[in-house]
Amino acid sequence: MKLTVFATTDVHGAVYPYDYFSGKEKNTSLLHIKSYIDRYREARPDEMVLTVDNGDILQGDVWNDYDFEAGHGHRLLPRIINDTYDVIGIGNHEFNFGLDYLHSVYGGLRPVIINSNVDFMDHPLKERVLPYTILEKETPEGMIKIGFLSVVPTQILKWDAFHLEGRLNVSDMRTTVEKTAAEMKAAGADLTILLSHSGLSKNPDHLKKYGENQTLLMTMIRDVDGIVFGHTHEFFPDRDFDVSIGTIDFKRGTINNKPMVQPGVYGSHAGKLSFEVERTAEGWQIRHRSACLIDTQETQLDPRLTDKYEPFHKKVLEYLSTPIGEIDSTWHTYFSRLFPSKAVQVVAEAGKAYTKRLIETGELENLPVLGFNAAVKAGRDGPHDFTVLEAGPVTLAEAIDLYKHANALIIIKIDGTTLREWLEWSASQFIIPDGDGFLLRSNRSRDGFPGYNYDTFFDLDYAFDITHPPKYDSTAKQINDSRRVFEVKYMGRGVEDDDEFIVPANNYRVSYTPFLRDAEILHESKASVRDIVIDYMRSGPQFELRDPMRILPRGIYRMDTATKAKDYIMKGQPIKHVKETENGFSHYEINLE
């Protein structure tokens, strides 16, 4: 008998084949994946087909924003989830809106919802979310029992501490999987599939207890027969990955004989786990196992599905088309990892405006306010993963694109010492100058320095000497005792260690970053950063673009960004397009002499 498990992960609300920020149709989406699965089922009526999602489906796109505003009974995403999946796991971003919202959404879902390593304590989600499920399916050879379990990184307690602190506990992923998979086998599961919302890493920090990306460890657990993983928005099978423990077979899509898939992000791919099983006197035996990815760009969209969901699409368009302001120049993030960008700075300005109102009303002490931000969309997920707002009217959709996460605003107080460490972390994204001239580390989660961890402080003037080794890795873990920050000024005066500043930040940055966890929290807003940005855009903001950073040594360097960026180089900017590389990216020459 053949068993096929189709899987998605990190869909982030990319349901309909339409880019709501560019206003163009897309050739990838969850509807593409469903079209493929429906045709597959029709063509193979004797094959057992199951569908699963591995988390991060409820956050990230405008359908999610619509659902958050619409309220129970009017949400759109639950409709397609109910039409598509048998089982769903929970990702870290499912927690962004809080437990009560999550419970409200899950109340409208029919698929089995599972998570094995989160204890929801006394919250109603404890009854709604199962630690695992075993699906019983009849076959000509008798009943087969297919088990599913799911885990999420323990770091959710840091990333969403604002929503979760004191309301749940999270256990280590690997030990949970080991224990739960054995329990499922003892309960009669013939096959056990793990939904691991955790990436594939060889980094020792990830492979130790409570590491963030532990999936490689899961391949060594005896009672796991197949793995769907995610979180880092990458792909597997992937010939660029070389295991440090065990064996890898790219043709079969296995590591340590476990078929496994990581199908990217935004519905770009579907994962397919394939099993051939046989009933013997000892029970069901797996005779063959493999895994592969299905590229949805090569999938024909079923027009019946687009017709079915088009009314929902129109509701979202109507919601997003509301004009909320106007800008007199184009804002984009193509070069934001090196040069100032109004699309990045506007978030800092919005946070400062909110904070200064609290100072004026006496809620906060009168200290200097420092605005900062990082580009959320800076190419990590491909050449289209950038923010672009053309000059003219700004709609709600474009304002959402400036800050797509539902993080809460948290205002903290820090001293000059902490500020320098924060800047050292940003300085760590740069490569020590070498022969090829490239300036920035990779924008990847697995082995690089993602742009969303590179903060720019727009109210300071500072300089980095990148001939010294980086002090931090991308997760803000110290890796050297070196110093790159050699000058920091505020209002023309050098910053002293005991100087105090107020910083409008967000719950992700404060809880995630080691040197900020002990910062004094002055205010926790009930409004999200995104809502504060939207309100700021409605006010018709006027601010000057600031370039606070200098890089030493001066010279001519290179960086990679989208090929499309060449159309946005302004006259006089020290940027020159060199050549296209692959997958929509290009090399650019940067003159910092």
Side-chain angles (χ1 to χ4, degrees):
M1 189 195 73
K2 289 186 177 181
L3 165 66
T4 298
V5 178
F6 284 109
T8 57
T9 193
D10 299 278
V11 173
H12 286 291
V15 173
Y16 201 80
Y18 190 82
D19 187 329
Y20 293 93
F21 301 116
S22 69
K24 298 177 182 177
E25 292 184 356
K26 295 194 308 182
N27 54 5
T28 62
S29 70
L30 185 55
L31 290 188
H32 282 83
I33 292 173
K34 181 164 171 53
S35 298
Y36 182 93
I37 295 172
D38 288 349
R39 281 195 297 270
Y40 188 95
R41 276 190 166 120
E42 289 173 8
R44 299 165 180 81
D46 296 330
E47 191 168 322
M48 185 179 297
V49 177
L50 298 174
T51 54
V52 300
D53 179 70
N54 186 41
D56 281 8
I57 194 171
L58 299 181
Q59 177 276 344
D61 200 81
V62 294
W63 279 55
N64 307 114
D65 295 299
Y66 180 93
D67 279 5
F68 185 69
E69 298 290 339
H72 185 67
H74 301 281
R75 297 183 184 121
L76 307 180
L77 206 64
R79 323 285 179 92
I80 189 169
I81 290 175
N82 288 337
D83 286 350
T84 306
Y85 298 106
D86 297 298
V87 178
I88 60 175
I90 305 180
N92 58 292
H93 282 292
E94 261 73 59
F95 295 95
N96 288 170
F97 302 101
L99 297 184
D100 294 340
Y101 176 76
L102 187 58
H103 183 254
S104 176
V105 173
Y106 283 174
L109 298 185
R110 290 195 300 268
V112 183
I113 304 166
I114 59 171
N115 177 272
S116 310
N117 71 321
V118 175
D119 176 4
F120 290 98
M121 299 168 66
D122 58 356
H123 195 277
L125 281 167
K126 191 174 184 73
E127 302 299 323
R128 184 68 182 91
V129 180
L130 303 178
Y132 63 85
T133 189
I134 298 176
L135 303 183
E136 298 183 351
K137 299 292 182 179
E138 286 289 351
T139 79
E141 301 299 321
M143 180 83 71
I144 186 170
K145 297 180 180 181
I146 304 135
F148 295 90
L149 70 160
S150 162
V151 288
V152 69
T154 59
Q155 283 76 10
I156 62 171
L157 286 176
K158 299 176 186 175
W159 300 329
D160 277 301
F162 180 76
H163 293 303
L164 306 182
E165 189 171 8
R167 305 190 74 188
L168 53 74
N169 294 312
V170 192
S171 302
D172 175 64
M173 289 185 287
R174 183 192 64 81
T175 53
T176 297
V177 171
E178 204 165 45
K179 176 184 175 182
T180 307
E183 182 180 335
M184 294 167 69
K185 290 287 187 178
D190 298 302
L191 283 85
T192 301
I193 309 298
L194 168 63
L195 308 183
S196 173
H197 197 84
S198 175
L200 189 64
S201 175
K202 297 178 292 184
N203 186 325
D205 289 328
H206 288 272
L207 299 182
K208 66 185 181 183
K209 196 170 186 179
Y210 300 111
E212 181 180 343
N213 293 301
Q214 294 187 355
T215 298
L216 184 58
L217 296 177
M218 313 300 186
T219 67
M220 294 176 282
I221 298 175
R222 181 186 61 184
D223 293 319
V224 170
D225 298 305
I227 301 174
V228 178
F229 65 105
H231 183 53
T232 55
H233 297 191
E234 295 172 331
F235 299 95
F236 191 86
D238 174 12
R239 289 188 177 275
D240 290 337
F241 189 82
D242 181 27
V243 300
S244 55
I245 309 170
T247 58
I248 189 167
D249 184 334
F250 293 111
K251 186 175 181 181
R252 291 173 54 227
T254 64
I255 296 180
N256 296 327
N257 204 35
K258 311 283 188 189
M260 47 200 296
V261 286
Q262 183 179 18
V265 64
Y266 301 137
S268 67
H269 292 72
K272 181 185 178 187
L273 299 179
S274 301
F275 299 90
E276 292 182 11
V277 296
E278 182 182 10
R279 186 70 178 264
T280 69
E282 290 77 31
W284 291 97
Q285 303 293 320
I286 300 174
R287 298 306 185 199
H288 181 77
R289 61 190 87 198
S290 63
C292 67
L293 295 177
I294 310 297
D295 188 343
T296 56
Q297 292 189 80
E298 302 170 2
T299 297
Q300 184 178 354
L301 190 62
D302 186 341
R304 292 172 298 180
L305 286 176
T306 49
D307 289 346
K308 179 177 181 178
Y309 289 100
E310 186 178 14
F312 300 172
H313 166 62
K314 289 181 176 177
K315 286 183 179 181
V316 174
L317 284 176
E318 183 180 358
Y319 163 71
L320 293 172
S321 62
T322 307
I324 64 167
E326 190 167 335
I327 56 176
D328 56 10
S329 62
T330 298
W331 296 2
H332 64 83
T333 60
Y334 285 122
F335 301 102
S336 60
R337 296 179 69 202
L338 185 58
F339 292 106
S341 160
K342 279 198 170 184
V344 177
Q345 186 176 339
V346 67
V347 178
E349 298 296 334
K352 279 167 50 185
Y354 179 94
T355 303
K356 288 179 177 179
R357 286 196 297 271
L358 295 179
I359 292 174
E360 290 167 3
T361 60
E363 258 188 85
L364 296 178
E365 57 187 314
N366 190 8
L367 289 172
V369 179
L370 302 181
F372 82 93
N373 189 34
V376 177
K377 297 177 66 176
R380 174 202 181 200
D381 295 325
H384 305 294
D385 183 39
F386 294 89
T387 295
V388 181
L389 275 65
E390 302 290 353
V394 177
T395 65
L396 181 59
E398 291 169 316
I400 291 172
D401 198 32
L402 292 170
Y403 197 91
K404 68 178 184 177
H405 295 305
N407 295 330
L409 182 79
I410 295 182
I411 300 174
I412 60 175
K413 182 165 73 173
I414 63 171
D415 59 20
T417 301
T418 302
L419 178 60
R420 284 182 178 276
E421 291 309 304
W422 201 334
L423 290 169
E424 281 289 351
W425 184 29
S426 289
S428 298
Q429 78 153 348
F430 296 104
I431 296 171
I432 296 176
D434 59 15
D436 64 15
F438 278 93
L439 192 58
L440 299 167
R441 292 164 66 185
S442 163
N443 197 10
R444 288 163 55 107
S445 296
R446 183 192 294 168
D447 52 10
F449 198 110
Y452 58 75
N453 280 338
Y454 170 68
D455 292 327
T456 300
F457 280 83
F458 295 94
D459 302 288
L460 301 173
D461 292 289
Y462 48 90
F464 299 152
D465 182 351
I466 60 173
T467 60
H468 300 288
K471 184 172 183 178
Y472 293 100
D473 69 9
S474 68
T475 67
K477 179 189 175 184
Q478 185 172 340
I479 54 176
N480 290 299
D481 291 324
S482 53
R483 289 282 177 188
R484 285 181 160 186
V485 177
F486 69 90
E487 180 181 79
V488 185
K489 292 184 178 180
Y490 174 73
M491 302 289 287
R493 183 182 72 84
V495 172
E496 303 293 337
D497 290 349
D498 57 356
D499 286 345
E500 291 186 326
F501 301 94
I502 291 177
V503 181
N506 60 76
N507 63 303
Y508 173 82
R509 180 62 83 237
V510 173
S511 57
Y512 177 84
T513 311
F515 47 78
L516 295 181
R517 289 177 196 153
D518 295 328
E520 182 181 353
I521 296 176
L522 305 178
H523 176 83
E524 297 184 28
S525 174
K526 293 182 180 179
S528 70
V529 175
R530 184 174 58 202
D531 290 339
I532 289 168
V533 171
I534 291 170
D535 287 344
Y536 184 70
M537 292 298 295
R538 285 192 171 111
S539 72
Q542 298 290 327
F543 62 91
E544 294 295 324
L545 181 65
R546 291 212 74 244
D547 187 359
M549 178 188 66
R550 287 186 297 124
I551 294 290
L552 296 177
R554 312 304 284 174
I556 296 176
Y557 295 97
R558 287 193 171 193
M559 70 174 289
D560 282 349
T561 187
T563 300
K564 182 69 175 173
K566 65 183 179 182
D567 299 333
Y568 291 86
I569 299 173
M570 297 179 64
K571 186 176 181 179
Q573 274 192 302
I575 306 170
K576 183 173 74 174
H577 181 262
V578 177
K579 67 174 182 178
E580 293 187 33
T581 53
E582 58 182 8
N583 300 326
F585 285 89
S586 286
H587 294 329
Y588 290 82
E589 185 178 273
I590 310 298
N591 188 343
L592 297 181
E593 291 185 332

